[in-house]
């Protein structure tokens, strides 16, 4: 019997607010709160994924990981591949051909959930690349995909072995470490080195994880 999808008004409200912030920010980057839109999405993602996993654990499902990953792949990849292929074709026809190599590499990396790594290696500011790369926004999805790859597997192992206290200790440790790393790099390094980093963004996802555990 399939579980009914539960509607959470507070989550949808936060998503709507985050979308509004992002849109307003791209219309006018002097709109400060727009900078927080993606951060809100990361927190929501951590919360929703953890709630889903906890529900599966409570039901003693024997296919937690296979169900989780199959759902994530079917939810993300058909739309992602469609969008990046269409965008690449349109850019080849209408875009700045001198920047096509960068866009094409972004296409390849984003298909494997690694575009943030590509931008991290380039060490450019997000705002330097934003105008000339229509696929630059895939960096945030790549961070989420990397989170999806590691976190469910780790939580499955620890929950199955009833190491909840140890799990909470690891969660708090990495959340603090990620936040401190972000602060340190934002002061001592160029923007690209912390803006795109999975490590410096993990605390936001883990904040959502913590909220889901507390709410459970």
């Amino acid at each position: 019997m399939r579980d009914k999808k539960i509607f959470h008004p507070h989550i949808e409200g936060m998503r709507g607010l985050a979308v509004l912030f992002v849109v307003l920010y791209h219309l006018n980057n002097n709109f400060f709160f727009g900078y927080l839109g993606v951060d809100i999405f990361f927190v929501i993602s951590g919360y929703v994924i953890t709630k889903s996993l906890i529900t599966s654990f409570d039901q003693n499902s024997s296919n937690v990981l296979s169900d989780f990953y199959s759902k994530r792949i079917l939810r993300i990849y058909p739309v992602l591949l469609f969008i990046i292929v269409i965008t690449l074709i349109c850019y080849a026809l209408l875009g700045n051909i001198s920047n096509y190599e960068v866009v094409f590499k972004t296409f390849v990396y984003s298909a494997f959930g690694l575009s943030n790594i590509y931008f991290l290696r380039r060490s450019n500011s997000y705002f330097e690349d934003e105008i000339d790369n229509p696929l630059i926004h895939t960096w945030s999805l790549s961070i989420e995909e990397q989170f999806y790859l590691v976190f469910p597997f780790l939580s499955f192992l620890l929950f199955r072995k009833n190491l909840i206290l140890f799990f909470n200790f690891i969660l708090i440790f990495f959340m603090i470490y990620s936040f401190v790393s972000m602060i340190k790099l934002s002061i001592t390094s160029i923007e690209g080195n912390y803006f795109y980093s999975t490590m410096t963004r993990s605390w936001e996802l883990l904040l959502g994880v913590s909220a889901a555990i507390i709410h459970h």
Side-chain angles (χ1 to χ4, degrees), residues 8 32 42-43 46 61 70 80 96 111 122 124 129 151 177 194 207:
H8 299 283
F32 172 76
F42 281 146
V43 175
S61 174
S70 61
L80 172 64
N96 179 4
R122 279 172 56 81
N124 284 358
D129 285 335
F151 174 74
Y177 181 80
Y194 70 90
L207 188 62

PDB file of all heavy atoms in Angstrom, residues 8 32 42-43 46 61 70 80 96 111 122 124 129 151 177 194 207:
ATOM      1  N   HIS A   8       2.317  19.791   3.794  1.00  0.00           N
ATOM      2  CA  HIS A   8       2.772  20.570   4.954  1.00  0.00           C
ATOM      3  C   HIS A   8       2.733  22.051   4.591  1.00  0.00           C
ATOM      4  O   HIS A   8       3.632  22.548   3.900  1.00  0.00           O
ATOM      5  CB  HIS A   8       4.190  20.172   5.359  1.00  0.00           C
ATOM      6  CG  HIS A   8       4.322  18.733   5.767  1.00  0.00           C
ATOM      7  ND1 HIS A   8       3.897  18.271   6.993  1.00  0.00           N
ATOM      8  CD2 HIS A   8       4.839  17.657   5.114  1.00  0.00           C
ATOM      9  CE1 HIS A   8       4.147  16.976   7.081  1.00  0.00           C
ATOM     10  NE2 HIS A   8       4.705  16.580   5.955  1.00  0.00           N
ATOM     11  N   PHE A  32      18.618  42.421  -0.417  1.00  0.00           N
ATOM     12  CA  PHE A  32      19.464  41.617   0.473  1.00  0.00           C
ATOM     13  C   PHE A  32      18.875  40.246   0.767  1.00  0.00           C
ATOM     14  O   PHE A  32      19.569  39.234   0.708  1.00  0.00           O
ATOM     15  CB  PHE A  32      19.700  42.365   1.789  1.00  0.00           C
ATOM     16  CG  PHE A  32      20.398  41.519   2.828  1.00  0.00           C
ATOM     17  CD1 PHE A  32      21.751  41.265   2.733  1.00  0.00           C
ATOM     18  CD2 PHE A  32      19.695  40.956   3.888  1.00  0.00           C
ATOM     19  CE1 PHE A  32      22.404  40.480   3.669  1.00  0.00           C
ATOM     20  CE2 PHE A  32      20.336  40.173   4.829  1.00  0.00           C
ATOM     21  CZ  PHE A  32      21.698  39.944   4.716  1.00  0.00           C
ATOM     22  N   PHE A  42      18.050  24.886   1.193  1.00  0.00           N
ATOM     23  CA  PHE A  42      18.912  23.849   1.764  1.00  0.00           C
ATOM     24  C   PHE A  42      18.349  23.339   3.095  1.00  0.00           C
ATOM     25  O   PHE A  42      18.338  22.131   3.357  1.00  0.00           O
ATOM     26  CB  PHE A  42      20.330  24.386   1.981  1.00  0.00           C
ATOM     27  CG  PHE A  42      21.160  24.441   0.724  1.00  0.00           C
ATOM     28  CD1 PHE A  42      22.092  25.446   0.535  1.00  0.00           C
ATOM     29  CD2 PHE A  42      21.020  23.488  -0.266  1.00  0.00           C
ATOM     30  CE1 PHE A  42      22.866  25.495  -0.615  1.00  0.00           C
ATOM     31  CE2 PHE A  42      21.788  23.528  -1.422  1.00  0.00           C
ATOM     32  CZ  PHE A  42      22.716  24.541  -1.596  1.00  0.00           C
ATOM     33  N   VAL A  43      17.893  24.248   3.927  1.00  0.00           N
ATOM     34  CA  VAL A  43      17.324  23.854   5.225  1.00  0.00           C
ATOM     35  C   VAL A  43      16.076  23.004   5.007  1.00  0.00           C
ATOM     36  O   VAL A  43      15.897  21.956   5.642  1.00  0.00           O
ATOM     37  CB  VAL A  43      16.988  25.095   6.088  1.00  0.00           C
ATOM     38  CG1 VAL A  43      16.292  24.673   7.382  1.00  0.00           C
ATOM     39  CG2 VAL A  43      18.261  25.877   6.426  1.00  0.00           C
ATOM     40  N   GLY A  46      17.028  19.445   3.810  1.00  0.00           N
ATOM     41  CA  GLY A  46      17.488  18.605   4.911  1.00  0.00           C
ATOM     42  C   GLY A  46      16.344  18.116   5.777  1.00  0.00           C
ATOM     43  O   GLY A  46      16.316  16.957   6.206  1.00  0.00           O
ATOM     44  N   SER A  61      10.864  -0.535   7.219  1.00  0.00           N
ATOM     45  CA  SER A  61      10.927  -0.914   5.812  1.00  0.00           C
ATOM     46  C   SER A  61      12.266  -1.577   5.512  1.00  0.00           C
ATOM     47  O   SER A  61      13.312  -1.123   5.970  1.00  0.00           O
ATOM     48  CB  SER A  61      10.758   0.330   4.929  1.00  0.00           C
ATOM     49  OG  SER A  61      10.962   0.003   3.574  1.00  0.00           O
ATOM     50  N   SER A  70      15.832   5.446  -5.583  1.00  0.00           N
ATOM     51  CA  SER A  70      15.041   5.338  -6.813  1.00  0.00           C
ATOM     52  C   SER A  70      14.087   6.528  -6.942  1.00  0.00           C
ATOM     53  O   SER A  70      13.911   7.078  -8.037  1.00  0.00           O
ATOM     54  CB  SER A  70      14.263   4.021  -6.833  1.00  0.00           C
ATOM     55  OG  SER A  70      13.355   3.937  -5.745  1.00  0.00           O
ATOM     56  N   LEU A  80      16.052  17.365 -14.799  1.00  0.00           N
ATOM     57  CA  LEU A  80      17.386  17.957 -14.907  1.00  0.00           C
ATOM     58  C   LEU A  80      17.966  17.768 -16.299  1.00  0.00           C
ATOM     59  O   LEU A  80      18.444  18.732 -16.925  1.00  0.00           O
ATOM     60  CB  LEU A  80      18.319  17.337 -13.861  1.00  0.00           C
ATOM     61  CG  LEU A  80      19.800  17.735 -13.978  1.00  0.00           C
ATOM     62  CD1 LEU A  80      19.985  19.231 -13.742  1.00  0.00           C
ATOM     63  CD2 LEU A  80      20.650  16.930 -12.997  1.00  0.00           C
ATOM     64  N   ASN A  96      26.747  33.376 -26.293  1.00  0.00           N
ATOM     65  CA  ASN A  96      28.103  33.853 -26.573  1.00  0.00           C
ATOM     66  C   ASN A  96      29.000  32.657 -26.848  1.00  0.00           C
ATOM     67  O   ASN A  96      29.389  31.950 -25.929  1.00  0.00           O
ATOM     68  CB  ASN A  96      28.604  34.664 -25.381  1.00  0.00           C
ATOM     69  CG  ASN A  96      30.014  35.184 -25.584  1.00  0.00           C
ATOM     70  OD1 ASN A  96      30.615  35.014 -26.652  1.00  0.00           O
ATOM     71  ND2 ASN A  96      30.545  35.830 -24.562  1.00  0.00           N
ATOM     72  N   ALA A 111      25.333  17.064 -15.029  1.00  0.00           N
ATOM     73  CA  ALA A 111      24.692  15.777 -15.312  1.00  0.00           C
ATOM     74  C   ALA A 111      25.122  14.718 -14.307  1.00  0.00           C
ATOM     75  O   ALA A 111      24.378  13.760 -14.043  1.00  0.00           O
ATOM     76  CB  ALA A 111      25.025  15.325 -16.730  1.00  0.00           C
ATOM     77  N   ARG A 122      37.165  26.581 -10.528  1.00  0.00           N
ATOM     78  CA  ARG A 122      37.378  27.821 -11.297  1.00  0.00           C
ATOM     79  C   ARG A 122      37.688  29.002 -10.394  1.00  0.00           C
ATOM     80  O   ARG A 122      38.333  29.962 -10.805  1.00  0.00           O
ATOM     81  CB  ARG A 122      36.124  28.137 -12.127  1.00  0.00           C
ATOM     82  CG  ARG A 122      36.046  27.341 -13.418  1.00  0.00           C
ATOM     83  CD  ARG A 122      34.703  27.544 -14.095  1.00  0.00           C
ATOM     84  NE  ARG A 122      34.403  28.939 -14.343  1.00  0.00           N
ATOM     85  CZ  ARG A 122      34.873  29.642 -15.374  1.00  0.00           C
ATOM     86  NH1 ARG A 122      35.681  29.052 -16.251  1.00  0.00           N
ATOM     87  NH2 ARG A 122      34.538  30.901 -15.551  1.00  0.00           N
ATOM     88  N   ASN A 124      35.952  31.388  -9.386  1.00  0.00           N
ATOM     89  CA  ASN A 124      35.332  32.660  -9.743  1.00  0.00           C
ATOM     90  C   ASN A 124      34.172  32.957  -8.793  1.00  0.00           C
ATOM     91  O   ASN A 124      33.579  32.052  -8.213  1.00  0.00           O
ATOM     92  CB  ASN A 124      34.790  32.622 -11.170  1.00  0.00           C
ATOM     93  CG  ASN A 124      35.895  32.740 -12.199  1.00  0.00           C
ATOM     94  OD1 ASN A 124      37.063  32.882 -11.851  1.00  0.00           O
ATOM     95  ND2 ASN A 124      35.519  32.669 -13.464  1.00  0.00           N
ATOM     96  N   ASP A 129      30.262  34.809 -13.073  1.00  0.00           N
ATOM     97  CA  ASP A 129      29.837  33.812 -14.060  1.00  0.00           C
ATOM     98  C   ASP A 129      28.351  33.861 -14.375  1.00  0.00           C
ATOM     99  O   ASP A 129      27.907  33.301 -15.380  1.00  0.00           O
ATOM    100  CB  ASP A 129      30.174  32.404 -13.563  1.00  0.00           C
ATOM    101  CG  ASP A 129      31.662  32.114 -13.669  1.00  0.00           C
ATOM    102  OD1 ASP A 129      32.324  32.743 -14.505  1.00  0.00           O
ATOM    103  OD2 ASP A 129      32.150  31.261 -12.914  1.00  0.00           O
ATOM    104  N   PHE A 151      24.300  11.189   3.225  1.00  0.00           N
ATOM    105  CA  PHE A 151      23.541  11.249   4.478  1.00  0.00           C
ATOM    106  C   PHE A 151      22.578  10.075   4.681  1.00  0.00           C
ATOM    107  O   PHE A 151      22.557   9.481   5.768  1.00  0.00           O
ATOM    108  CB  PHE A 151      22.782  12.574   4.560  1.00  0.00           C
ATOM    109  CG  PHE A 151      21.871  12.660   5.754  1.00  0.00           C
ATOM    110  CD1 PHE A 151      22.392  12.857   7.029  1.00  0.00           C
ATOM    111  CD2 PHE A 151      20.502  12.522   5.607  1.00  0.00           C
ATOM    112  CE1 PHE A 151      21.558  12.916   8.134  1.00  0.00           C
ATOM    113  CE2 PHE A 151      19.664  12.582   6.706  1.00  0.00           C
ATOM    114  CZ  PHE A 151      20.196  12.777   7.972  1.00  0.00           C
ATOM    115  N   TYR A 177      31.328  22.274  12.512  1.00  0.00           N
ATOM    116  CA  TYR A 177      32.529  22.322  11.683  1.00  0.00           C
ATOM    117  C   TYR A 177      32.251  23.011  10.353  1.00  0.00           C
ATOM    118  O   TYR A 177      33.052  23.830   9.874  1.00  0.00           O
ATOM    119  CB  TYR A 177      33.044  20.902  11.434  1.00  0.00           C
ATOM    120  CG  TYR A 177      34.306  20.846  10.610  1.00  0.00           C
ATOM    121  CD1 TYR A 177      35.544  21.095  11.195  1.00  0.00           C
ATOM    122  CD2 TYR A 177      34.255  20.556   9.246  1.00  0.00           C
ATOM    123  CE1 TYR A 177      36.707  21.052  10.436  1.00  0.00           C
ATOM    124  CE2 TYR A 177      35.406  20.512   8.486  1.00  0.00           C
ATOM    125  CZ  TYR A 177      36.633  20.753   9.089  1.00  0.00           C
ATOM    126  OH  TYR A 177      37.770  20.724   8.341  1.00  0.00           O
ATOM    127  N   TYR A 194      34.147  29.238  -0.932  1.00  0.00           N
ATOM    128  CA  TYR A 194      33.179  28.841   0.096  1.00  0.00           C
ATOM    129  C   TYR A 194      31.741  28.866  -0.407  1.00  0.00           C
ATOM    130  O   TYR A 194      30.885  28.156   0.107  1.00  0.00           O
ATOM    131  CB  TYR A 194      33.299  29.727   1.344  1.00  0.00           C
ATOM    132  CG  TYR A 194      32.835  31.153   1.171  1.00  0.00           C
ATOM    133  CD1 TYR A 194      31.513  31.513   1.424  1.00  0.00           C
ATOM    134  CD2 TYR A 194      33.719  32.146   0.759  1.00  0.00           C
ATOM    135  CE1 TYR A 194      31.081  32.821   1.260  1.00  0.00           C
ATOM    136  CE2 TYR A 194      33.299  33.460   0.609  1.00  0.00           C
ATOM    137  CZ  TYR A 194      31.990  33.801   0.855  1.00  0.00           C
ATOM    138  OH  TYR A 194      31.560  35.091   0.684  1.00  0.00           O
ATOM    139  N   LEU A 207      21.027  21.666   9.519  1.00  0.00           N
ATOM    140  CA  LEU A 207      20.078  22.400  10.362  1.00  0.00           C
ATOM    141  C   LEU A 207      18.672  21.880  10.124  1.00  0.00           C
ATOM    142  O   LEU A 207      17.876  21.707  11.052  1.00  0.00           O
ATOM    143  CB  LEU A 207      20.169  23.891  10.046  1.00  0.00           C
ATOM    144  CG  LEU A 207      19.385  24.832  10.966  1.00  0.00           C
ATOM    145  CD1 LEU A 207      19.893  24.758  12.401  1.00  0.00           C
ATOM    146  CD2 LEU A 207      19.498  26.285  10.447  1.00  0.00           C
TER     147      LEU A 207
END
